[in-house]
Amino acid sequence: MISFLAKRLLEMIPTLLGITILSFLIIHLAPGKPTDVLTEMNPKITPEARERLEKYYGLDKPLYVQYGLWLKRVVKFDFGESFSTDRRPVIAKIWDTKQPLMERRLFITFVINALSMLLIFLIAIPIGVFSATHQNSFADKVTTVTVFIGFAAPAFWLALLLMMLFGIQLGWLPISGLKSMDYDTLSFFGKVWDRAGHLILPVFISSFGGLAGLSRFMRGSMLEVIRQDYITAARAKGLREKEVVYRHALRNALLPIITLLGLAVPGLIGGSVIFENIFGIPGMGQLFYMSVMTRDYPLVMGILTIGAFLTLIGNLLADIGYMLADPRIRAK
Amino acid sequence: MKRSPLKIYWQRLRENKLALTGGVMISSLFLIAVFASVLSPYDPNEIDRNNILNPPSLTHPLGTDELGRDIMSRMIWGSRISLAVGFVAVGIATLIGILLGSLAGYYGGWGERIIMRFIDIMLSIPTFFLILAVIAFVGPSIWNIMVIIGLTSWMGVARLVRAEFLTLKEREFVLAARALGVSDMMIILKHIMINSMAPVFVSAILGVASAILVESALSFLGLGVQPPTPSWGNILTSGKDNIEVAWWLSVFPGMAILITVMSYNLFGEGLRDATDPRLWRTGES
């Protein structure tokens, strides 16, 4: 077990290096430069001033030198300074230690994604099991169509419609930000209630879209298991159908689901750009959008690297979970 | 009695009403896109200052936008963009996926290790972030969008093809071909590729759905196909800006995307069920 973990951790290093090299190349080889953005805003800027700026940002050096310098700092968890006018360190923008935990961008995005993931698993697994045990029934078809609507509806469109309905027409839910204007005057429970209210729509939107993938996978996994000989054997020895499904089939069908946990991370992180933008949530997705629009290279690289790192951690956790759950692997 | 696989696929697909509905929808969309110039009642870019933000009526069945353009015509022409984005992006992704997947699966060795590591790397980057960054840097033209979506979505196909190759290359008919001295190229193309096409086709169909969604998400962020070229994504974006006064601007294009993506998904899933022998009931075929 320990040696397996050590091996997996070591394997993460070349993958992470590959990710940063690839991202670095793509970002720096794309036509145009960050200094173009500054020049556009200020047409009076002279070519000399531009060159000075490029030198200041280190953009005049060959690419491999730039990458080497970047990597040397990143090993010490220093992602450099943002190119934006406030010139704050990238890490402070992502994880601002001067702010309370609940105001830090990475934490906000993490909490929303963790909540949606939890919700997806809680809803999708029962749906998958149900559609598999009632294959091709009317209820199977209704749930299939429902989860596909969640996948097929553009997230921002659904968000807009729900904002119109619950936020404006009915006035039940707040539609933007993470807390109300009068948040500081509220009692403790008032504060909790206020935050929860702001989270309902974003978490609902991001989990509705993820239901289809997981529930369909669960259905397929369950269908495959139900056809196995040991299930026939369980039935043959006269076990009740409930026991066959929940004790013998479900446990085995759940195994491959664990690996999905890791694979789902990049999708969720990517989706956060959309719903953080529409609900005005100050998280990583919103920050990433701002950083690409202003060509803030250090910030773009920092967020991509952290996003990839979280994905690798997710995969590792999924592998560990798989190992703990599967007695065949545990015994080795 | 022996029946050809295609016949079995068709028979199984025919039982699945949802998948058939999806297939019919996809075909009608194709026809709409092909005959856009005949079907659309107005020029999609004709500005009419006297009819700005008109609700649906007999003259404009789906209403007009903030420049008085007919939404129905724009949506009919927009179906071309959605289909083009979907198919070109998936075409690129499928080609890359087949190439890398078959190389890795057939030859193995260090080439396979490099390709698999590359796939791991691509799968660990939040793809939408990457697409967003590149489009923001190189500019949102329709070609850039198609190519970049294609370049970031081939990993699934590559894994699939590799897995198929790994199982097929040890089968007797391949070994027999090799013993007869058939060249690697011929074995890959004629004996293995043909037998691994069904799952690739299914994943391509599901890929079209994702590509359409990605384009609409890019549009929402102002980085999709740029106006005046009509795409469902950018009609929806102008719907967002006018949502309090013109519901029809966001409801119709949103529905169009939803129905299209869903049709591709239902059809793709049905096709997977129909072509996967592991899911066939015993006694069939």
Side-chain angles (χ1 to χ4, degrees):
Chain A
M1 170 96 183
I2 303 279
S3 70
F4 168 81
L5 273 184
K7 200 178 144 229
R8 283 302 316 267
L9 276 172
L10 279 180
E11 269 178 8
M12 273 170 67
I13 296 171
T15 311
L16 206 53
L17 266 180
I19 292 167
T20 56
I21 293 175
L22 192 71
S23 313
F24 202 86
L25 278 179
I26 291 173
I27 288 166
H28 286 259
L29 289 180
K33 286 207 164 130
T35 42
D36 294 347
V37 180
L38 292 170
T39 327
E40 262 168 43
M41 281 190 260
N42 182 4
K44 275 192 238 150
I45 205 162
T46 60
E48 291 79 43
R50 250 183 88 156
E51 252 169 55
R52 249 198 336 269
L53 264 177
E54 274 178 23
K55 207 163 192 156
Y56 181 69
Y57 287 146
L59 294 170
D60 54 337
K61 299 190 182 75
L63 216 49
Y64 65 90
V65 177
Q66 288 186 45
Y67 178 75
L69 289 173
W70 180 83
L71 193 64
K72 224 160 97 187
R73 277 186 279 117
V74 168
V75 185
K76 292 177 278 181
F77 284 104
D78 174 10
F79 288 93
E81 271 176 12
S82 158
F83 282 179
S84 65
T85 41
D86 60 10
R87 317 213 38 81
R88 286 171 60 206
V90 167
I91 202 81
K93 291 201 162 197
I94 294 169
W95 190 260
D96 192 349
T97 42
K98 290 197 192 85
Q99 298 271 356
L101 190 63
M102 270 185 279
E103 309 284 323
R104 297 177 194 170
R105 285 187 183 267
L106 184 56
F107 185 76
I108 290 171
T109 303
F110 179 79
V111 167
I112 293 178
N113 281 326
L115 284 176
S116 349
M117 193 110 108
L118 189 72
L119 204 62
I120 291 174
F121 272 75
L122 283 181
I123 300 173
I125 290 177
I127 290 182
V129 173
F130 178 85
S131 345
T133 48
H134 299 76
Q135 198 190 0
N136 295 332
S137 69
F138 179 70
D140 174 26
K141 282 182 183 141
V142 172
T143 47
T144 303
V145 171
T146 314
V147 295
F148 272 133
I149 289 179
F151 174 80
F156 66 94
W157 178 67
L158 208 59
L160 272 177
L161 296 185
L162 292 181
M163 273 164 88
M164 282 303 286
L165 179 64
F166 292 108
I168 297 170
Q169 301 283 341
L170 296 170
W172 290 353
L173 291 171
I175 54 170
S176 131
L178 282 175
K179 54 183 187 184
S180 310
M181 301 283 248
D182 57 355
Y183 179 75
D184 291 326
T185 65
L186 294 171
S187 67
F188 175 74
F189 287 105
K191 283 181 178 173
V192 173
W193 184 246
D194 186 60
R195 287 207 182 254
H198 280 86
L199 283 177
I200 291 178
L201 280 181
V203 170
F204 174 76
I205 298 281
S206 69
S207 35
F208 192 29
L211 281 183
L214 188 64
S215 67
R216 294 308 283 177
F217 195 90
M218 187 68 217
R219 179 179 182 269
S221 175
M222 201 67 187
L223 282 177
E224 222 164 284
V225 170
I226 283 178
R227 282 179 175 70
Q228 302 288 325
D229 291 340
Y230 58 81
I231 296 297
T232 318
R235 283 214 180 97
K237 76 177 181 185
L239 285 183
R240 278 177 300 136
E241 188 62 20
K242 258 204 179 122
E243 212 156 329
V244 173
V245 169
Y246 292 105
R247 270 194 61 150
H248 294 255
L250 180 60
R251 284 188 179 189
N252 286 292
L254 273 176
L255 277 179
I257 298 292
I258 299 175
T259 52
L260 277 193
L261 200 79
L263 287 175
V265 177
L268 282 172
I269 297 180
S272 56
V273 183
I274 300 292
F275 65 79
E276 285 180 11
N277 252 297
I278 198 156
F279 290 110
I281 295 171
M284 293 277 278
Q286 197 194 48
L287 187 67
F288 187 76
Y289 179 67
M290 293 192 290
S291 72
V292 295
M293 294 317 268
T294 52
R295 282 185 170 257
D296 195 337
Y297 285 177
L299 196 48
V300 174
M301 275 307 291
I303 297 175
L304 278 176
T305 310
I306 289 174
F309 183 69
L310 290 179
T311 307
L312 292 179
I313 295 286
N315 283 331
L316 185 68
L317 288 179
D319 280 351
I320 296 175
Y322 196 90
M323 228 167 49
L324 293 176
D326 191 340
R328 282 168 302 187
I329 299 181
R330 205 167 41 198
K332 272 182 198 164
Chain B
M1 198 172 75
K2 207 171 166 300
R3 289 177 296 171
S4 78
L6 280 182
K7 236 183 189 159
I8 303 172
Y9 295 167
W10 170 236
Q11 222 162 35
R12 291 186 46 84
L13 191 63
R14 224 173 34 184
E15 290 168 19
N16 188 338
K17 292 286 175 298
L18 278 177
L20 273 192
T21 317
V24 171
M25 292 298 302
I26 294 173
S27 324
S28 349
L29 268 169
F30 255 107
L31 291 179
I32 290 176
V34 170
F35 295 107
S37 54
V38 187
L39 288 171
S40 69
Y42 295 87
D43 177 343
N45 289 322
E46 190 186 271
I47 294 172
D48 180 357
R49 301 224 176 269
N50 298 323
N51 286 305
I52 285 171
L53 289 176
N54 277 5
S57 63
L58 282 178
T59 42
H60 296 284
L62 302 182
T64 61
D65 68 3
E66 71 278 11
L67 295 173
R69 296 174 296 193
D70 180 55
I71 292 302
M72 189 170 163
S73 309
R74 287 185 73 70
M75 281 185 46
I76 289 174
W77 282 90
S79 69
R80 285 193 174 184
I81 301 291
S82 297
L83 285 188
V85 169
F87 276 82
V88 176
V90 166
I92 294 172
T94 308
L95 275 183
I96 300 176
I98 289 180
L99 191 72
L100 293 182
S102 53
L103 285 180
Y106 189 76
Y107 290 108
W110 57 267
E112 180 184 26
R113 245 175 290 156
I114 291 179
I115 291 173
M116 292 317 283
R117 184 50 56 89
F118 188 37
I119 292 178
D120 281 346
I121 289 173
M122 288 298 290
L123 283 175
S124 305
I125 305 179
T127 317
F128 189 67
F129 274 23
L130 203 60
I131 296 175
L132 198 67
V134 178
I135 297 283
F137 294 169
V138 301
S141 81
I142 181 169
W143 284 103
N144 289 343
I145 291 169
M146 295 193 281
V147 170
I148 287 157
I149 295 178
L151 288 179
T152 48
S153 53
W154 50 269
M155 293 80 79
V157 184
R159 280 184 152 186
L160 209 76
V161 173
R162 171 178 168 268
E164 291 286 323
F165 267 62
L166 283 181
T167 51
L168 286 172
K169 78 172 178 186
E170 303 297 335
R171 295 271 290 275
E172 285 82 358
F173 68 94
V174 175
L175 296 178
R178 199 173 300 147
L180 286 171
V182 179
S183 70
D184 277 1
M185 198 62 183
M186 280 309 270
I187 293 181
I188 290 181
L189 289 179
K190 253 191 98 174
H191 296 280
I192 305 186
M193 199 81 93
I194 287 228
N195 284 296
S196 59
M197 274 306 101
V200 172
F201 191 60
V202 169
S203 100
I205 286 177
L206 297 176
V208 174
S210 312
I212 293 176
L213 277 178
V214 171
E215 193 277 323
S216 78
L218 285 171
S219 276
F220 165 71
L221 296 170
L223 295 169
V225 174
Q226 295 297 298
T229 310
S231 84
W232 292 343
N234 66 34
I235 302 172
L236 195 44
T237 308
S238 74
K240 174 192 70 172
D241 300 333
N242 296 299
I243 187 151
E244 270 154 76
V245 287
W247 57 268
W248 54 93
L249 263 182
S250 31
V251 169
F252 294 128
M255 288 300 286
I257 296 175
L258 192 153
I259 291 170
T260 309
V261 171
M262 205 148 116
S263 304
Y264 278 99
N265 274 315
L266 290 175
F267 184 64
E269 284 255 333
L271 210 57
R272 168 164 34 211
D273 283 356
T275 54
D276 189 345
R278 283 174 304 172
L279 297 179
W280 292 355
R281 284 182 296 266
T282 37
E284 239 174 334
S285 88

